[in-house]
Amino acid sequence: MEARTRGESLMKASLLALLGAVYLSAATIVVSFPAYDVVLKEAFPAANVVLLTKGVSDPHEYQLTASDVMFLRNLTAGDVLVLSMHAPFELRIAKMAERGEVKARVIDLTKIQLYLTYDGRLTPYTSGVNPHDHGVFPPNVFRLVEAVANATGLPPDEGFMSRLKAINSTYCCKFNGKAVALTPAAQYILYWLGFRDVAVLIKDPEVPPTPDDFQKAIQYAAVGAPVLAVVTRGEASRIVDQFLQKAREQGIQPRVVVADFSKGYLSTLEYVAKQVDSAGSPAAFPAPASPSGGYPWLYAVAALLAVLAVVLLKIKRS
């Protein structure tokens, strides 16, 4: 009799555990941009994480399909939508939620994240900020995970949180000096590492760099500043190749790190930090003693100054 009772208790416990697992895996987390999906899959492995713009070359230009609309309308109150709120299709989803057409809870990232201005100031969301965090900035990851946990009732993975805290405590604000961000998201990683003087080459994915931005990036790379490109969809790093070509034309061999966050969040974050750490702080790299060996823009400045000096001398004698 006792054995039977024990067996029934074990069966009930197993059934409850199974029901609990089904409940915990039931939540769907829909994200609009990569690499939020990569981060949340690692943070909530029991959840169903869906990237709405999967396979799209430019998520900013995405338009909702009929199947997207049906999918969104079938979400429940236990599901979550994570929206960066800077693309038209995201604003449409938010309007659908306001009208009650979508029952899932909306996490408006502009309400919980911190953003960088292009001159390196950290601020709540406002006009003129760099909106391309893409979920890779560790301070924002902590906020995002907390918001999703509160919205769904899902506890984040303990291993994920433990490792993120360890990486953050080891590398956050460890470095200083100059750095180059080839892509907008790279500015966030470099800021997290401690760099406050960052030349951001590409401020918008579809807009080419200005001559001033390009020249500043080249100048920083010339004095040994680390150069970082962050990609989030596994796309070809065309901007990296273009920058390297232009830099080498001027006799510069920059140290470039490419961080592909589509391959994993924590592993890539730690990889970037170790790459920068292994190269040493850029503050230890002195500027070149002379412009010889491939800095034609310095010759141009010197020539211009010489011409101005001659003109001023003639004016003074007259």
Side-chain angles (χ1 to χ4, degrees):
M1 183 70 177
E2 184 178 349
R4 179 181 177 183
T5 302
R6 187 181 301 111
E8 289 177 350
S9 298
L10 289 172
M11 185 178 296
K12 288 180 180 178
S14 300
L15 181 60
L16 288 173
L18 178 62
L19 289 174
V22 170
Y23 172 75
L24 289 176
S25 64
T28 295
I29 304 171
V30 182
V31 303
S32 51
F33 277 79
Y36 293 103
D37 59 321
V38 176
V39 173
L40 292 174
K41 282 178 182 177
E42 293 185 20
F44 298 96
N48 177 31
V49 181
V50 177
L51 173 61
L52 200 59
T53 55
K54 184 178 180 180
V56 177
S57 60
D58 183 7
H60 299 83
E61 302 298 326
Y62 188 72
Q63 296 185 8
L64 295 177
T65 65
S67 59
D68 288 336
V69 173
M70 183 179 296
F71 168 71
L72 294 170
R73 286 175 174 166
N74 285 333
L75 294 173
T76 69
D79 300 324
V80 170
L81 287 161
V82 178
L83 304 177
S84 66
M85 303 298 284
H86 71 271
F89 80 92
E90 294 179 293
L91 301 179
R92 181 184 172 188
I93 294 174
K95 288 293 184 182
M96 291 172 64
E98 287 179 10
R99 294 193 297 264
E101 298 175 32
V102 176
K103 295 181 176 61
R105 296 185 62 176
V106 173
I107 295 178
D108 180 345
L109 293 175
T110 64
K111 305 297 185 185
I112 66 170
Q113 290 193 152
L114 293 175
Y115 292 83
L116 283 170
T117 60
Y118 288 107
D119 60 358
R121 292 178 293 107
L122 199 61
T123 176
Y125 183 79
T126 185
S127 61
V129 297
N130 176 356
H132 303 288
D133 154 81
H134 285 293
V136 301
F137 186 42
N140 284 342
V141 171
F142 285 114
R143 291 176 171 82
L144 174 61
V145 170
E146 181 181 10
V148 171
N150 291 337
T152 62
L154 293 174
D157 182 74
E158 291 183 4
F160 174 87
M161 295 304 298
S162 177
R163 188 177 172 194
L164 177 58
K165 290 175 182 177
I167 295 172
N168 187 61
S169 64
T170 301
Y171 294 105
C172 176
C173 306
K174 181 176 181 178
F175 305 93
N176 58 68
K178 293 180 170 62
V180 179
L182 296 185
T183 58
Q187 184 190 15
Y188 281 92
I189 296 298
L190 290 169
Y191 186 95
W192 168 69
L193 289 170
F195 298 100
R196 295 296 179 265
D197 188 358
V198 179
V200 184
L201 182 65
I202 301 292
K203 294 183 170 64
D204 188 280
E206 299 302 314
V207 178
T210 67
D212 288 343
D213 288 337
F214 183 81
Q215 194 58 53
K216 184 177 181 180
I218 289 292
Q219 291 177 8
Y220 280 26
V223 297
V227 182
L228 175 64
V230 167
V231 295
T232 57
R233 299 191 302 274
E235 69 271 30
S237 303
R238 177 174 49 86
I239 184 60
V240 175
D241 295 336
Q242 291 178 346
F243 180 78
L244 285 172
Q245 179 181 348
K246 294 294 184 182
R248 287 164 182 164
E249 287 174 0
Q250 299 193 33
I252 302 168
Q253 299 291 332
R255 298 175 293 126
V256 180
V257 177
V258 178
D260 185 352
F261 279 94
S262 70
K263 297 179 179 179
Y265 178 64
L266 291 177
S267 59
T268 305
L269 185 68
E270 190 168 30
Y271 164 79
V272 173
K274 286 182 176 179
Q275 287 294 306
V276 174
D277 193 25
S278 64
S281 171
F285 289 82
S290 71
S292 61
Y295 301 99
W297 57 273
L298 286 177
Y299 287 113
V301 172
L304 179 59
L305 291 175
V307 172
L308 288 175
V310 172
V311 171
L312 289 174
L313 182 61
K314 288 184 178 180
I315 292 174
K316 183 177 181 180
R317 288 177 177 178
S318 63

